[in-house]
Amino acid sequence: MKKINLRDYYPFYSKDTVVEVPEEVALLLREFELLEEANRIRTYRYRAFYSLDYTGGIERDLAALDQKSPYDILEESYDTEQLYKGLASLPEKQRNRIYAHYFLGMSKSAIARAEKINESNVRQSIEHGLRNLEKFLRKNF
């Protein structure tokens, strides 16, 4: 066990807090520090840093690419919540198959092999589930 000071790793600690951690964790923290310092030196050496005030606007343009308004963020979280409520309203098999296909990226044939059923059953189940999900979402919007 090795002792580390959490104040060195977390800037919001206002006083020293020493804890014991396993050797593996201490080695990982040290490796991270070394990589960060190497990156800082490399950035300085090759002048690979840009100011937001720089007229070329490299970082400014990148920072302005995808700025969502608070309304967009709220609307997106509401839509996600409604989607999960709709999925929860489906029968278990339909829900699991839709989740596996659209969220986990499994093919319909892979789902069929995993469940040891015919692929056409999986296709029909997903189609019916999507129709039921559509009905649920139309009713709640």
Side-chain angles (χ1 to χ4, degrees):
M1 297 292 274
K2 192 165 185 171
K3 292 183 180 182
I4 63 166
N5 187 352
L6 292 179
R7 187 175 180 190
D8 297 337
Y9 299 98
Y10 300 104
F12 53 84
Y13 274 86
S14 58
K15 59 182 179 179
D16 292 334
T17 306
V18 178
V19 294
E20 286 189 19
V21 295
E23 289 290 329
E24 296 86 20
V25 173
L27 288 173
L28 285 173
L29 289 172
R30 178 69 179 145
E31 182 181 347
F32 177 74
E33 284 178 351
L34 293 174
L35 288 172
E36 282 292 310
E37 183 61 19
N39 187 43
R40 188 192 65 75
I41 291 170
R42 190 172 32 255
T43 302
Y44 177 76
R45 181 177 296 144
Y46 298 110
R47 291 168 179 67
F49 51 90
Y50 302 99
S51 169
L52 292 176
D53 297 328
Y54 180 67
T55 56
I58 294 171
E59 287 185 355
R60 185 184 62 237
D61 290 344
L62 290 176
L65 280 179
D66 191 22
Q67 293 292 326
K68 293 182 181 179
S69 70
Y71 177 77
D72 292 337
I73 295 169
L74 183 64
E75 184 178 22
E76 188 176 294
S77 67
Y78 177 75
D79 291 345
T80 304
E81 180 183 338
Q82 290 302 312
L83 176 64
Y84 281 109
K85 283 182 181 179
L87 282 172
S89 71
L90 296 175
E92 185 178 357
K93 285 185 180 181
Q94 287 179 355
R95 175 179 55 240
N96 291 341
R97 291 172 182 166
I98 288 174
Y99 186 81
H101 183 64
Y102 289 103
F103 289 82
L104 301 179
M106 291 177 67
S107 67
K108 294 173 183 171
S109 59
I111 296 169
R113 279 193 307 273
E115 295 183 8
K116 298 177 182 165
I117 58 171
N118 194 348
E119 185 178 343
S120 63
N121 292 343
V122 173
R123 290 185 188 281
Q124 288 175 351
S125 177
I126 289 176
E127 288 174 13
H128 290 302
L130 290 176
R131 277 192 234 122
N132 291 338
L133 185 60
E134 183 181 10
K135 288 177 189 175
F136 177 86
L137 293 175
R138 285 181 192 262
K139 184 174 66 173
N140 289 325
F141 273 104

